[in-house]
Amino acid sequence: MIELNWPDAPADRDPGTYRGGMRFLVDGEIREWTGASVNVMSPLYQRSAQGLEQRLLGPSALPDASCAKAALSAAVKAFGRGRGSWPTAPVAERIRATEKFLDGMKARRLEMARLITWEISKPWKDSLAEVDRTIEYGVATIEALKDVDRVSSRFVLESGFLAQIRRSPIGVALCMGPYNYPLNETFTTLLPALIMGNTVIAKLPRFGLLCQMPLLEAFAESFPPGVINILPGDGQTVITPIIASGEIDLLAFIGSARVANILKQQHPRPNKLRSVLGLGAKNAAVVLADADLEKAVPECVSGALTFNGQRCTALKVFFVQRKIADEFARRVAEGVAQLKHGLPFEDGVSLTPLPDHATVSNMTKMMEDAVSRGARIVNENGGSTDRTYFHPAVVYPVTESMELWRREQFGPIVPIAVFDEIDEIFEYLAGSAHGQQASVFGKDPAVIGRLVDELANQVCRVNLNSQCRRGPDAFPFGGRKDSAEGTLSVSDALRVFSIRTLVAAVENDANTELVQEIVRGRTSRFLTTDYLF
């Protein structure tokens, strides 16, 4: 059996009781909510005179529909049907505002990391990395926009026409991030949406919302009123009236396909709504008989269990060629045994509690379903629980009759299946509702070459002898089927949240002189040859 000792946290990694969760940002004003609230409970337990008790982090606001409508009204007004000060601002001005915000974010680094660690049980090192990576993403976004604007600063002569082509904002964006990367994944849509001149409403996730609260001041100080609005609360209460209004032009959502479909169906003008969606995945690893298990197994264990497997890019099922399947399962079990489990503020810890008891229960049910249908738990203490902690279960062999075969577990279960022929892998992936990524481990170039060709039209990224991942952020990140809509990367995101717009004129002396006078006199913000350095 697994039991955690539930130690006390070092003072510098403990957020204390957090009071900032009753605030939200609308129209440039940080407002204090005095109505209904919910207690944000950490998944971590602490010792008290009464024994082990779940840690209360603080209250969080549950704003009503009127707050949602106020946020929408502010965003619509700030966009001003494209005539607002933000959508018409020069690129350099939007960059300066974003740089100011990132400076404010850097100043709150430790506070945000503490809240991530305690609210979603992410290891301290990874929580710090999430904050740092988000700041780096913001810097990279600024540099990518400069590159786009430099190309756009010149005029094009084509087939007797003179034109300038630039990227313009689309309108009002609704951005919704997930709990597993509450800061980074939210900002991979929020920041490019803002910097391209859109106005934004950000709905915070149910878990992981507190880490955004220290940034309200930085948002309010950096951007004009109404350009960015931040809402916590119940999704049905605050999101339904925003979507149903028909005034949202962009939906950026990372979560389940079921919820995404509900949101899109609530919009009265679906043809108007542009969507970028990051949804579920059941990323498969294919382990061939000639794979170097010394290298493959650590990569597979990390791919399956980093942040307890709570990543859309995690490896969710392993197909191992029969000749090495038993040995692979044994080695994976040994690899799991080497991972340190404990509380997220402890140094060197890899396995931590899950966000809530319901997730533990869900993992247990999926594991028990597999066992009832003939699978075994091959690692010591696999599936053992202690309150919100679920010890990883290496389940082998997984077959088509089990939930783990198709259903995304989003947690610390490692399903291992056996295959004989390559065609079995293709049939599985071709029949899957998901199509994000896959990993292939092996050495034979002929076999791997065939697999690459067959997988490339089923998933959006094939990883050779390495786990699935999102980065580097310069690479496109997308998915087929029910896994995604649209593609994100630093540069792709700028395109997602903007549209190509051009000013064109027949090339003749009068039009050429007119355009030159506009540029020289700086009478237009769109028609300009300013070059950003």
Side-chain angles (χ1 to χ4, degrees), residues 207-468:
F207 300 129
L209 64 91
L210 292 183
C211 69
Q212 310 273 5
M213 294 302 171
L215 296 174
L216 296 189
E217 285 82 4
F219 275 124
E221 294 165 3
S222 303
F223 298 99
V227 168
I228 175 67
N229 307 273
I230 310 289
L231 289 174
D234 173 67
Q236 187 170 356
T237 301
V238 298
I239 294 303
T240 298
I242 290 174
I243 292 282
S245 71
E247 295 189 278
I248 293 296
D249 303 292
L250 294 136
L251 172 63
F253 173 77
I254 301 174
S256 72
R258 180 186 65 83
V259 174
N261 289 333
I262 291 172
L263 293 174
K264 292 176 72 173
Q265 290 166 8
Q266 290 175 341
H267 200 290
R269 297 169 61 192
N271 59 298
K272 171 191 175 182
L273 185 67
R274 177 182 289 197
S275 300
V276 55
L277 310 174
L279 307 173
K282 186 75 172 177
N283 295 330
V286 181
V287 185
L288 299 166
D290 64 347
D292 182 345
L293 295 186
E294 289 292 330
K295 296 178 180 178
V297 168
E299 195 72 9
C300 290
V301 171
S302 174
L305 296 176
T306 295
F307 191 39
N308 303 315
Q310 297 169 113
R311 301 177 298 131
C312 66
T313 56
L315 290 171
K316 305 284 175 59
V317 61
F318 294 83
F319 288 95
V320 186
Q321 214 149 17
R322 188 175 301 277
K323 181 179 178 180
I324 62 166
D326 287 348
E327 181 184 2
F328 178 83
R330 177 182 61 78
R331 288 194 182 212
V332 168
E334 291 172 352
V336 172
Q338 294 172 11
L339 300 177
K340 179 180 178 180
H341 63 273
L343 300 194
F345 48 73
E346 296 180 74
D347 289 330
V349 73
S350 297
L351 306 171
T352 60
L354 300 178
D356 63 355
H357 292 279
T359 308
V360 174
S361 177
N362 187 39
M363 292 299 104
T364 300
K365 289 177 182 177
M366 294 184 76
M367 178 189 69
E368 290 176 346
D369 169 78
V371 171
S372 72
R373 298 174 190 275
R376 308 185 310 276
I377 309 301
V378 298
N379 63 310
E380 185 178 2
N381 295 316
S384 295
T385 63
D386 182 0
R387 296 169 177 81
T388 51
Y389 180 74
F390 179 95
H391 195 67
V394 181
V395 183
Y396 171 73
V398 170
T399 62
E400 193 171 359
S401 65
M402 304 168 189
E403 275 192 291
L404 284 170
W405 181 261
R406 291 283 185 197
R407 183 180 163 196
E408 181 185 13
Q409 62 268 38
F410 214 77
I413 299 180
V414 186
I416 300 174
V418 177
F419 79 96
D420 294 297
E421 303 296 333
I422 298 297
D423 286 344
E424 297 173 52
I425 305 300
F426 175 77
E427 291 300 325
Y428 175 86
L429 290 174
S432 174
H434 302 295
Q436 189 197 82
Q437 298 188 33
S439 290
V440 179
F441 295 88
K443 298 175 183 177
D444 189 329
V447 175
I448 292 179
R450 177 191 169 190
L451 270 170
V452 166
D453 288 350
E454 296 195 350
L455 299 185
N457 288 336
Q458 298 299 324
V459 298
C460 282
R461 175 167 169 166
V462 180
N463 302 276
L464 302 182
N465 291 308
S466 65
Q467 62 182 280
C468 300

Side-chain angles (χ1 to χ4, degrees), residues 46-61:
Q46 288 188 308
R47 298 189 183 279
S48 69
Q50 288 73 41
L52 281 175
E53 294 185 318
Q54 199 168 358
R55 167 75 175 271
L56 170 65
L57 293 179
S60 175

